[in-house]
Amino acid sequence: MFRRASTLLTRPLLSARARSFSADLPAASSTDDAFVAAWKKAIPTIDPPRTPLFFMAPRPATPSSIPTKLTVNFVLPYASELSAKEVDMVIIPATTGQMGVLPGHVATIAELKPGVLSVHEGSDTKKYFVSSGFAFIHGNSYADIIAVEAVPVDQIDPDQVQKGLAEFTQKLNSASTDLEKAEAQIGVDVHSALNAALTG
């Protein structure tokens, strides 16, 4: 390996092939052509195995101009709340703070914290309370939001929220082990976020 390092270090730099800093990406290939070619060269008598790219839909190309709408997929483990829904903006409760996502947003991955996810379409705003999850913002004005639990804010019972908050606060105050404290703290955090969603 060290013998090859000296030859790699002495190669001239290819300034003509400098990487562009454009956000425009071509459409992704639906097959892993390099892998298939290498496989056929090494083992020509056996068909190559299917890679994950075989099962995935090709990524659409990043448009050269910013679209007017953001396409949102909002899914839960047991349901799909929004599927390829075109909206004006989404506000996500990220662990780093509230994150507004508009068409043309830079590609980002954000962890969700308990809070309100609001979907803005014209003058209509649909609000969901999410417990946790991830948001994947793609450079082609697509957003995939995956939540563990979500419920429309208008379906939350304020009395049950207050009852749950009092119950978990009591558990936190009387917890004796680290596990009990952690479980109670999670309950307090979620019910506090629910309460803020209802009052805010």
Side-chain angles (χ1 to χ4, degrees):
M1 180 168 162
F2 290 115
R3 281 183 244 152
R4 280 192 40 114
S6 61
T7 59
L8 292 174
L9 291 173
T10 57
R11 283 187 190 169
L13 294 175
L14 300 175
S15 59
R17 293 193 56 192
R19 180 179 160 237
S20 71
F21 292 102
S22 171
D24 293 346
L25 297 171
S29 171
S30 60
T31 60
D32 192 348
D33 298 328
F35 173 76
V36 171
W39 180 276
K40 287 184 177 180
K41 186 185 281 186
I43 312 170
T45 58
I46 300 175
D47 289 335
R50 294 178 176 168
T51 62
L53 283 177
F54 178 83
F55 300 99
M56 295 167 43
R59 180 187 68 227
T62 302
S64 58
S65 63
I66 296 175
T68 57
K69 295 285 187 179
L70 175 71
T71 305
V72 177
N73 297 308
F74 177 34
V75 294
L76 308 171
Y78 50 85
S80 176
E81 290 291 327
L82 301 173
S83 180
K85 177 83 169 168
E86 291 191 344
V87 300
D88 295 320
M89 177 176 70
V90 175
I91 299 177
I92 298 168
T95 54
T96 55
Q98 294 292 322
M99 184 171 83
V101 180
L102 295 166
H105 195 283
V106 67
T108 308
I109 298 175
E111 182 182 359
L112 304 181
K113 66 176 183 179
V116 176
L117 168 86
S118 55
V119 180
H120 300 262
E121 184 180 7
S123 60
D124 296 333
T125 302
K126 179 77 173 174
K127 294 184 177 184
Y128 298 88
F129 180 82
V130 295
S131 62
S132 62
F134 287 91
F136 301 91
I137 314 303
H138 306 283
N140 55 1
S141 292
Y142 274 73
D144 296 320
I145 303 166
I146 297 97
V148 176
E149 286 288 336
V151 63
V153 171
D154 56 6
Q155 294 180 10
I156 299 172
D157 183 0
D159 295 332
Q160 291 295 322
V161 172
Q162 292 300 327
K163 182 180 174 184
L165 183 58
E167 179 184 322
F168 279 106
T169 303
Q170 174 63 30
K171 285 183 181 179
L172 182 61
N173 293 334
S174 63
S176 58
T177 67
D178 288 342
L179 178 62
E180 289 174 348
K181 287 178 185 175
E183 289 174 344
Q185 185 62 54
I186 290 169
V188 168
D189 291 347
V190 170
H191 282 83
S192 296
L194 277 164
N195 194 36
L198 292 171
T199 58

